[in-house]
Amino acid sequence: MTDLSPAALRGAVDLSSLRQAAARPTPGAGAPPASASAPSLVFDATDDTFAQVLELSRTVPVVVDLWAEWCGPCKQLSPVIEKVVTELDGRVVLVKVDVDANPQLAQAFRAQSIPMVVGLVGGQPVPLFTGAVPEQQVREVLGQLLQLAAQHGVTGTVPREDGDGAETEPAKAPLPPLHAEAFAAIEEGDYARAIAAYEKALAENPRDADAQAGLGQVRLLDRVQGVDLAEARSAAAANPSDVPAALLVADLDVTGGHVDDAFERLLDLMAALPDAERGPLRERLLEYFGLVGDTDPRVLRARGRLASLLF
C-alpha cells in the first residue's frame, strides 16, 4: 500500500521545467477557492498545457494517469481510475497523459514503466502506484491523496457540468455478453476466465478485432502475473539461449512499457538460433505487434528486421 505522508511531497519528481515562470502562492497560505475551473473531471493534458494542470492542483488534488495506446495494462487500469474519480464528485480531477505524444512529460515524471499514476497537490508531485492495480487499491490510495491534500490546504472542488451527478455523455452501447464476461473477469483478476471468454467470442466471430486485442492483452497479463522481475532477468542472463526465459523477460518489458527492449531481445535471440527453434519467438513477436499497433514506428522497425531474419 502506498504511504502518502506529508513528507511524500518533498522531491519525488522534478517538474520545475513545466511550471510557468510566475511565482504562485503556496498551498495553505490562505483560504483556497471553493471551486476550480477545469474542462471536466477527466481530461487530457499535453506538454504545452501541463502548466495549467499544475496551477489547478493548487485548488484541487489532481491524479495524473501516464499511459500509451499500445499498453494493454493501461487500458485495463484507466477505466477503473475514471470510475473512482467520478464517484468522488469533483474532489479529485483525473488528467490523462499519452507518454508517446508528450515526451517532455514522460521525461519529467521519469516514466520508465507504464501505467504510472502520480498525484499532484499544490503543484508538487507524489507517486501513487505503477502498473495495473485492483479497484479497491485505487480507492484506498485516492482516499489517502485526499487526506494529504487536506493537510496542505488543497480542499477545493471542480463542479460537475450536469450539476446532479448524471452522465454528461450519451450512454455507451452495452458490451457483447462474452466481452462483458471477459472484462468482469479481468477486474476480478481471473485471467483464465477472461481468456476463455475472448476465445469463445473469436470462435463465434473470427473477425472480432476487439476480442482479438483483448485476448492478446489478457494473455500477456496472465503470463506475468506473480512473476518476480529480478529472478526472471537473472534466469535469462544466466542462459541467453533459453527461449522460455527470454519470452518471459520480453513479456515483462512489454508490460512495463519497454517495447523496444522486448523486440530487440527476441530478434537478437532469433538471429542466434537455428530456423527450427525460432517458431515461438516469431509467434510472440507477432502477438506484440498486434498489441502495440501495426503502424507504430517501433513495430515497423522490428517487423523489417524480422523479415530479414526469416527470408
Side-chain angles (χ1 to χ4, degrees):
M1 176 57 59
T2 303
D3 179 19
L4 301 188
S5 64
L9 287 178
R10 295 199 294 266
V13 178
D14 181 13
L15 299 182
S16 58
S17 62
L18 302 174
R19 295 192 177 92
Q20 293 175 323
R24 302 288 183 178
T26 57
S35 63
S37 175
S40 63
L41 297 183
V42 180
F43 61 95
D44 295 325
T46 68
D47 288 344
D48 294 332
T49 65
F50 203 76
Q52 288 85 352
V53 174
L54 291 171
E55 290 304 308
L56 176 64
S57 74
R58 298 179 183 277
T59 301
V60 60
V62 174
V63 175
V64 182
D65 177 14
L66 296 124
W67 69 286
E69 182 62 34
W70 48 264
C71 172
C74 299
K75 294 179 180 179
Q76 304 297 339
L77 177 64
S78 291
V80 175
I81 304 176
E82 291 183 23
K83 176 184 177 184
V84 175
V85 167
T86 301
E87 291 175 357
L88 290 173
D89 206 24
R91 292 187 292 154
V92 174
V93 171
L94 174 61
V95 173
K96 299 173 67 64
V97 173
D98 182 339
V99 295
D100 286 343
N102 299 282
Q104 185 181 357
L105 283 170
Q107 181 178 6
F109 279 108
R110 302 172 189 169
Q112 297 180 350
S113 178
I114 57 173
M116 175 181 179
V117 181
V118 179
L120 292 175
V121 176
Q124 299 296 320
V126 54
L128 298 182
F129 50 84
T130 300
V133 301
E135 181 176 324
Q136 183 57 36
Q137 184 173 341
V138 174
R139 293 184 184 280
E140 292 173 359
V141 171
L142 296 198
Q144 292 181 19
L145 180 65
L146 282 169
Q147 294 175 14
L148 178 66
Q151 293 171 14
H152 288 78
V154 181
T155 57
T157 60
V158 171
R160 300 180 64 111
E161 292 182 2
D162 53 328
D164 59 4
E167 291 291 333
T168 58
E169 298 180 357
K172 296 181 180 179
L175 291 172
L178 288 171
H179 289 241
E181 180 181 344
F183 191 82
I186 291 169
E187 287 191 323
E188 296 169 8
D190 189 348
Y191 297 139
R193 182 160 63 92
I195 290 171
Y198 279 133
E199 288 178 339
K200 187 175 181 180
L202 284 168
E204 295 179 0
N205 178 14
R207 297 185 178 181
D208 187 338
D210 289 338
Q212 188 66 58
L215 179 60
Q217 292 166 6
V218 76
R219 280 176 172 168
L220 176 61
L221 292 173
D222 185 51
R223 290 195 298 263
V224 301
Q225 188 177 31
V227 173
D228 184 281
L229 177 59
E231 290 182 3
R233 290 196 182 281
S234 177
N239 190 354
S241 62
D242 185 331
V243 171
L247 290 172
L248 181 56
V249 175
D251 278 344
L252 292 166
D253 282 338
V254 171
T255 303
H258 307 294
V259 174
D260 277 330
D261 290 343
F263 289 171
E264 183 177 359
R265 176 181 295 275
L266 299 191
L267 288 166
D268 285 349
L269 183 52
M270 281 190 71
L273 291 176
D275 292 347
E277 299 178 22
R278 292 176 169 182
L281 299 171
R282 175 183 175 275
E283 291 176 6
R284 188 62 55 83
L285 281 166
L286 293 176
E287 180 181 318
Y288 292 160
F289 295 167
L291 288 175
V292 178
D294 289 334
T295 60
D296 188 286
R298 295 165 297 184
V299 170
L300 295 175
R301 290 193 299 269
R303 193 181 290 279
R305 187 178 172 196
L306 176 61
S308 69
L309 289 171
L310 295 177
F311 303 105

